[in-house]
Amino acid sequence: MQERIITLATPVFFALIALEIAWGVRRGRNTYRLDDAINSIGLGVLSQVSGAFVRVLRIGLYAWAFEFVSPWRLPADSPWVWLFALVFYDLCYYWHHRLGHERQILWAAHVVHHQSEDYNLSTALRQTSSGALLGWVFYLPMALMGVPPAVFAVVALVDLLYQYWIHTQHIGRLGWFDRVFASPSNHRAHHAVNERYLDRNYGGILIVWDRLFGTFVEEDEAEPPVYGTRKPLRSWNPLWANVEVYASMLHDFVHTERWRDKLRVLVARTGWRPDDLRDADARHAFSLGSARYAPAVSRAARSYALVQFAIVLAAAVHFLQLQAQASLAESLAWFAWIALALTTLGWMLEGRRFGAWLEAARAAATARALLAARVYLAPAAPDSLEMLVPMTLGGAAWAAWIAWRAPTPDTRQIDARRSGDAPVVEHKLPAARIEAR
């Protein structure tokens, strides 16, 4: 159900993004960059498509606990049950979100949402593809309290959709609202890597949980938030974005000598590293004034990426509409195609010449598959295949032309400030704090 509602809400999401861009341009404060927005929205697409494979973890285990473990059932037709469930869910979300920052294995999934060095409505769509692997545990108390699965699914969706609008820099302080609810001001502080804001404001709808549990901080106009993570991703590759921290954990697990430390890598606080690796494999020091990731890319490559991303987005929406009837093999094929397309487009936006060649090969292979499908299904083949084949071949030729004209070797540069307002301050922090975000 959640995938279907989000699919229906997609036009609203993009309408609000367009409105935010127009408002930002009019005010001379545009908060969007094409490559970052494509990467964020692409990660949201990947998250929704991968949801087809983890539905049993999100809803199935909850329904099982409700059916066989809960000692009672709350009535789904009572307004008070719905209100109770929404508040209860938000409390569970607070602890899920908080431990997602404080524990390494959970941060490995949640980090995806924080990797963007911009902050806008597209950032809200930037979601993990692995969060459901452990996230379901935090909501089992609701099942044990007898909240029906249908009620749980709806309040979870409400909590998620609410958080979309608070990802903006164009709404300022809201007075009393900021003291009770999660708001743009409160959530800007949550996404910031400044020391005063670090690991604060976890509430999904209600910010009172942060006030109650001592994790609240107000946004300070004298210290504008700087966004991203303290170990920047430096990539537009959506697959690497999802496995970055897992790969770091695996490295430490394999290379540390003590078994106690191997196990601690999995359950330690975020950023903890074994003593025998901390000095031998030192990480870069964090600097609040460092530059944002902004590879130099040709206008042709950006235009191609925008057009192809729109096609991939349309394909993903189509898949989400039919995934309930799709077989496992069909779902895997759709996921692989979408993941590959987003990855090759990401490499193109990084200014990598081989990425453009791979994108040309992907588009050509797609055209070949569509042609085979048209022949196989004829005369029942849909008319859309007649147009898709030449369009995809045209895309392959366009990508090949971009690759052919690209300079050799690859040239990439970083030329954008993380924050035009943020002072350039070097922060000398312990290793655990450097890695914490």
Side-chain angles (χ1 to χ4, degrees), residues 254-306:
V254 171
H255 289 89
T256 189
E257 295 183 358
R258 290 173 294 193
W259 275 101
R260 181 182 62 184
D261 287 344
K262 289 181 183 292
L263 297 178
R264 192 177 177 187
V265 164
L266 303 177
V267 298
R269 286 189 65 88
T270 304
W272 178 88
R273 302 195 70 211
D275 291 337
D276 59 346
L277 296 180
R278 186 173 297 170
D279 295 331
D281 184 26
R283 305 293 168 87
H284 295 294
F286 166 72
S287 174
L288 193 64
S290 62
R292 286 186 296 181
Y293 182 64
V297 180
S298 69
R299 181 174 298 180
R302 291 177 179 273
S303 299
Y304 176 90
L306 180 60

Side-chain angles (χ1 to χ4, degrees), residues 342-359:
L342 293 174
T343 300
T344 53
L345 291 177
W347 281 332
M348 285 189 70
L349 290 173
E350 291 177 9
R352 300 179 185 272
R353 192 181 194 193
F354 79 84
W357 283 120
L358 288 176
E359 170 59 20

Side-chain angles (χ1 to χ4, degrees), residues 83-103:
L83 180 60
F84 166 74
L86 183 60
V87 175
F88 196 179
Y89 181 92
D90 203 55
L91 175 60
C92 295
Y93 174 84
Y94 168 86
W95 284 106
H96 180 198
H97 195 183
R98 178 171 175 174
L99 291 176
H101 282 252
E102 294 180 354
R103 294 294 153 182

